[in-house]
Amino acid sequence: MPEIPPRLELENLCCTFADKPVVREVSLTVESGAVTCLLGPSGCGKSTTLRMVAGVETPTSGRILIDGVEVAGPGGSVPPEARGIGMMFQDYALFPHLTVLQNVTYGLRRRETSRESRCRDLLEKVGLSHLADSYPHQLSGGEQQRVALARALAPRPRVMLMDEPFSGLDNRLRDGIRDEALAILKEEGAAVLLVTHEPEEAMRMADQIALMRDGRIVQSGAPYNVYNKPVDAEAAGFFSDINVIHGVVQDFQTDTPFGQFLTPNLRDQADVEIIIRPQHLKIDFDRKGSGPLPTLSDGVPARGQVIRSRFMGAESLVELAMDHDGSSLKATIPGVFLPAPGTPLWLSLRRDRCLVFPCKRQSKVEDPFLREV
């Protein structure tokens, strides 16, 4: 039985503007019914990648395939309207002079006998069948977004491209709309390529995240893996606040406020960064700021003085200056915990949640890794 190709496939895709590389050798696949998120900061090349798939930008090199058929590459380029692609952007771009139903049916061929039935079915799915005869100016932002989704899905696109489509909605409305949209997209079976700069949105919607930086995909995989096994400190910091503990390797160990960490794969005198997220730092309430300081060999809690504390809603954020070296660390505590500045507290950390990376700043050795001969 022949192997079914991915619904959408990018092969070594590159794009250059005025001799400046914007997208560099981007490769990824999206299966039917799956959501892949291009995630990254502004200017990293994710929207340009999306525009090349849509056919409004021409790749400098590389190929784009839909269902195994080349739509852009050395063999030429298929026009955007012939690619079987649906698009949703930040601007819903609804026609103000058309009703909701007319907006949804706009992209369908007039000869299609099931045209109105298909669109009414989509309006039912997005919960707007009762507004079929209304006009865009009579709708809320969330309702307009759902009309745009129905319109994009009406022609049954093989690929759905979404560029920050929920950014115009307020936070409370956004989560519900995203969940509704995701359920409908899965049901329709389109391959979805979503662009966002919000890690939370990527984690909530994507089956696969492709993290972009400077035009390249630096890491891709399931949300759980990309979050918990970041490729470097910068990737870890993109998904959440992080604490960075700097150190220098001595005899395969690195000195920290929490004792010595084993760093067996790094050379002596290499600068390292030990990353720990605030939620993985715990306050040792039993010590209450008293008792002898732990020795470096203990690997036990370290003491600091509260700099500031803030209530964040479901949790409190406490920042401390560590006695060991004066470095600043942040810990999140469930509920309300607002110690006064200067309060001594002990912190412990989960070593299994720590990440160790060679430091990107100037290292004392050219190559920080030990290599097998």
Side-chain angles (χ1 to χ4, degrees):
M1 192 171 179
E3 184 179 347
I4 300 175
R7 175 57 54 91
L8 173 65
E9 189 170 8
L10 312 185
E11 293 183 354
N12 299 317
L13 207 59
C14 297
C15 186
T16 301
F17 295 138
D19 296 327
K20 179 182 178 182
V22 177
V23 175
R24 311 167 189 239
E25 299 180 343
V26 166
S27 296
L28 59 83
T29 59
V30 189
E31 301 292 343
S32 176
V35 178
T36 291
C37 178
L38 290 176
L39 175 66
S42 298
C44 71
K46 55 189 188 295
S47 290
T48 301
T49 301
L50 201 75
R51 290 168 62 83
M52 285 190 285
V53 177
V56 295
E57 295 289 355
T58 302
T60 305
S61 61
R63 298 201 305 160
I64 301 171
L65 299 94
I66 296 178
D67 288 333
V69 177
E70 183 180 295
V71 297
S77 181
V78 174
E81 64 274 13
R83 294 189 181 191
I85 286 175
M87 291 178 281
M88 284 186 65
F89 300 97
Q90 297 176 39
D91 182 357
Y92 309 136
L94 301 179
F95 296 108
H97 63 290
L98 300 182
T99 66
V100 166
L101 181 61
Q102 290 169 338
N103 265 283
V104 177
T105 58
Y106 183 83
L108 295 177
R109 296 184 181 89
R110 295 187 180 278
R111 294 192 299 272
E112 292 185 29
T113 55
S114 61
R115 183 169 175 258
E116 184 170 327
S117 174
R118 163 69 174 167
C119 294
R120 288 192 180 277
D121 179 58
L122 284 170
L123 287 176
E124 181 72 29
K125 285 183 179 181
V126 298
L128 294 179
S129 56
H130 63 294
L131 295 176
D133 296 323
S134 299
Y135 288 87
H137 73 272
Q138 297 173 307
L139 308 181
S140 68
E143 288 167 342
Q144 291 183 35
Q145 195 276 344
R146 284 183 279 169
V147 173
L149 174 63
R151 183 180 63 182
L153 287 171
R156 293 185 173 87
R158 294 178 292 173
V159 176
M160 175 67 78
L161 305 179
M162 307 177 79
D163 191 355
E164 311 264 9
F166 309 106
S167 61
L169 304 177
D170 65 74
N171 289 337
R172 288 186 299 174
L173 183 62
R174 188 182 307 169
D175 289 346
I177 296 293
R178 280 191 300 216
D179 291 345
E180 290 175 9
L182 181 59
I184 294 169
L185 289 166
K186 293 278 189 182
E187 184 179 342
E188 290 288 320
V192 180
L193 188 59
L194 169 71
V195 160
T196 183
H197 65 276
E198 297 184 8
E200 180 185 349
E201 183 163 83
M203 299 285 286
R204 191 180 188 105
M205 294 197 68
D207 299 296
Q208 174 184 230
I209 293 175
L211 182 62
M212 292 190 70
R213 187 189 306 151
D214 298 327
R216 300 182 186 276
I217 294 177
V218 296
Q219 186 174 8
S220 63
Y224 177 89
N225 292 329
V226 175
Y227 181 88
N228 287 293
K229 298 178 181 178
V231 68
D232 55 25
E234 190 173 346
F238 194 81
F239 284 93
S240 71
D241 285 340
I242 57 173
N243 293 297
V244 181
I245 302 172
H246 292 283
V248 178
V249 178
Q250 290 282 1
D251 295 328
F252 308 117
Q253 298 184 91
T254 300
D255 185 20
T256 79
F258 302 91
Q260 292 185 322
F261 273 67
L262 291 176
T263 46
N265 297 320
L266 297 169
R267 296 183 183 277
D268 274 3
Q269 300 302 309
D271 293 324
V272 296
E273 296 175 324
I274 298 172
I275 307 298
I276 181 76
R277 292 190 165 101
Q279 65 266 32
H280 297 138
L281 279 173
K282 305 299 180 184
I283 292 179
D284 187 346
F285 290 102
D286 292 335
R287 288 180 178 265
K288 297 179 181 178
S290 62
L293 288 173
T295 64
L296 292 178
S297 61
D298 287 339
V300 294
R303 196 175 71 178
Q305 311 290 323
V306 174
I307 300 173
R308 62 183 64 89
S309 57
R310 295 288 184 271
F311 178 59
M312 308 297 290
E315 60 191 16
S316 298
L317 179 66
V318 181
E319 185 176 355
L320 300 98
M322 304 308 296
D323 291 355
H324 175 73
D325 57 3
S327 61
S328 174
L329 298 179
K330 295 177 181 178
T332 52
I333 311 300
V336 182
F337 180 65
L338 301 172
T343 302
L345 292 173
W346 293 79
L347 288 180
S348 61
L349 54 73
R350 290 187 55 179
R351 291 196 174 214
D352 63 326
R353 293 291 186 173
C354 291
L355 306 163
V356 181
F357 300 107
C359 188
K360 282 194 173 182
R361 65 184 181 179
Q362 185 66 37
S363 179
K364 295 180 176 62
V365 292
E366 289 186 7
D367 184 352
F369 290 104
L370 288 172
R371 307 293 178 182
E372 292 185 5
V373 179

